[in-house]
Amino acid sequence: MRLTHLLTVLCALSSALPALAYSATIEIPRPYVVYLQDGKSAKTKALDSQRQFNLPAGEHQLVIRFEGSFKDQSENRLISGEPVVLNLDLKAEDQLAIKFDYPKNYRAAEKFLEKQDLKFIDTQSGGTTKVDYFVMPKKEGLQIGRDYQQELQALGKAFQQPAAMTSTTEMAVATVAGAAATQGATSGKGALDKKTQTLEMLKYWYNQADAETRKNFQYWVISQQ
């Protein structure tokens, strides 16, 4: 009897664990695919049959991408959009759903992907709710094995990425700027031109960085043009 009772309790606890571990949900409709969850690879199979993604309360970042097949005259054609980054701050009771005007054909899909206008619905109240999201910069040419996390880091928008300037960095920048200003004053040129000072600071930090950081910085500069 005791063994039977113990097994019953264990079964009840195991069935309750998913509800305890995941208390908020976001519905992600087709043809969007989930690529990253909080900076790590996420497989679409994490979505259940209702296309819901379960997340604990708190801050999260999801990277999703539109990947579908649509009719273009007499044939179906594949089409994909730039990744969309969702920055979420979820409460335990949140139940959200992404809504958009589903394209009827290939041309409509092309039009939709120009902006990827998404709405976020509170499925409990039926009203819209504000969610911070943005479309990642477009990359030209062949795109095989893109590292979305690396791209977000280069943009300074990765999940819980620390600020680029720490207090130590700020002190070092001030030291470099002060030394440059002193050098300029000593040479009789007066106050150092602000643009020149900024350039020297950028050169200094670029030379201090490792190869990977330099690569990320180069990509960021290109993406700003």
Side-chain angles (χ1 to χ4, degrees):
M1 292 295 290
R2 289 182 178 178
L3 179 59
T4 303
H5 178 68
L6 179 59
L7 290 174
T8 302
V9 172
L10 289 175
C11 289
L13 287 174
S14 62
S15 63
L17 282 176
L20 292 173
Y22 300 105
S23 49
T25 63
I26 179 169
E27 182 182 331
I28 302 174
R30 291 184 175 86
Y32 278 99
V33 177
V34 182
Y35 274 88
L36 290 182
Q37 176 191 344
D38 300 342
K40 298 180 181 179
S41 296
K43 298 187 181 299
T44 303
K45 65 182 182 181
L47 295 168
D48 62 21
S49 59
Q50 296 180 327
R51 300 286 297 181
Q52 288 185 338
F53 206 86
N54 299 312
L55 293 165
E59 294 184 354
H60 298 280
Q61 184 181 78
L62 297 179
V63 176
I64 63 177
R65 191 179 184 194
F66 184 103
E67 298 178 353
S69 175
F70 294 86
K71 181 76 72 176
D72 183 17
Q73 296 182 351
S74 61
E75 62 179 1
N76 287 325
R77 294 179 60 187
L78 295 174
I79 188 171
S80 60
E82 295 304 316
V84 179
V85 183
L86 313 178
N87 291 310
L88 307 166
D89 189 0
L90 299 172
K91 298 181 178 63
E93 67 276 9
D94 281 345
Q95 295 181 28
L96 307 178
I98 299 175
K99 300 293 182 183
F100 64 96
D101 294 330
Y102 192 86
K104 296 180 180 179
N105 51 48
Y106 187 86
R107 299 303 173 192
E110 282 186 314
K111 187 68 175 177
F112 169 75
L113 290 176
E114 290 177 2
K115 294 184 178 180
Q116 296 198 71
D117 186 18
L118 304 179
K119 294 181 180 179
F120 298 85
I121 306 298
D122 181 341
T123 59
Q124 299 177 93
S125 67
T128 58
T129 185
K130 184 175 178 58
V131 169
D132 175 29
Y133 78 96
F134 66 93
V135 180
M136 291 179 65
K138 186 176 182 179
K139 291 192 68 175
E140 302 293 345
L142 189 63
Q143 300 179 20
I144 298 178
R146 283 179 66 177
D147 189 332
Y148 297 134
Q149 179 64 7
Q150 185 181 66
E151 290 180 31
L152 286 170
Q153 289 173 341
L155 292 169
K157 296 183 178 181
F159 178 66
Q160 295 185 341
Q161 184 171 355
M165 281 283 191
T166 63
S167 57
T168 303
T169 304
E170 290 171 348
M171 290 175 62
V173 170
T175 301
V176 174
T182 302
Q183 181 180 357
T186 304
S187 62
K189 295 181 181 179
L192 191 65
D193 180 80
K194 185 175 181 181
K195 291 184 179 179
T196 303
Q197 179 179 329
T198 301
L199 179 60
E200 292 303 317
M201 290 166 61
L202 288 172
K203 288 180 181 179
Y204 172 82
W205 286 112
Y206 185 85
N207 291 330
Q208 296 299 311
D210 57 27
E212 185 66 21
T213 303
R214 291 184 184 184
K215 180 180 177 182
N216 290 339
F217 179 74
Q218 290 168 0
Y219 173 73
W220 179 83
V221 171
I222 293 172
S223 70
Q224 302 304 303
Q225 298 176 354

